[in-house]
Structures are given as C-alpha cells and as structure tokens.
Amino acid sequence: VANIPDKQVVGSTLVVTLTKDHLVIDRDNHKKPLVDALIARGISRDKIVLAYADESLPDAARFSLDT
C-alpha cells in the first residue's frame, strides 16, 4: 500500500475466492504457486480453480449471461 496525497495505491500478489466447494485463485504472482502448496496439503486439484489461467467453476455455465 502506498499513500500519495489524496490517493491510495494498493497492489496484490494473491487473490483467492472461497466458494462452498472450491478455492478459486484469481491471481497468484508468487514464485511458489499456491496451487502446489494446497495440493501438497491434501486439497484435491478438482477443488481448485485457476481463474488466472482461464479455468472456471464446473457449474459456471449455468450462470452465464450469454444467450
């Protein structure tokens, strides 16, 4: 976080969204990817969505706004 008079600048290297059944990694700019650490701790890869790599939730098509 940087403070500039009348402005605030925030940078993030990791953004994760937790859903009922999945971990959605929206952004991961670490040298050691979070997905690797999660798998090493026993989280199943099919429960992890790499949104930054254009993966989507398995049932995301149900919520599409496209016709």
Side-chain angles (χ1 to χ4, degrees):
V1 177
N3 286 310
I4 301 171
D6 299 320
K7 296 182 191 238
Q8 183 179 29
V9 179
V10 178
S12 177
T13 59
L14 182 65
V15 178
V16 178
T17 304
L18 303 175
T19 70
K20 181 179 176 186
D21 298 315
H22 294 86
L23 290 126
V24 180
I25 304 174
D26 297 293
R27 180 181 180 114
D28 187 356
N29 289 339
H30 291 100
K31 289 181 182 178
K32 296 181 180 179
L34 178 60
V35 64
D36 295 341
L38 293 170
I39 291 170
R41 296 294 297 212
I43 305 296
S44 175
R45 178 59 178 90
D46 66 343
K47 296 295 183 184
I48 302 168
V49 177
L50 303 179
Y52 64 84
D54 294 326
E55 293 181 6
S56 59
L57 288 168
D59 59 353
R62 293 187 309 140
F63 303 104
S64 175
L65 298 177
D66 296 334
T67 54

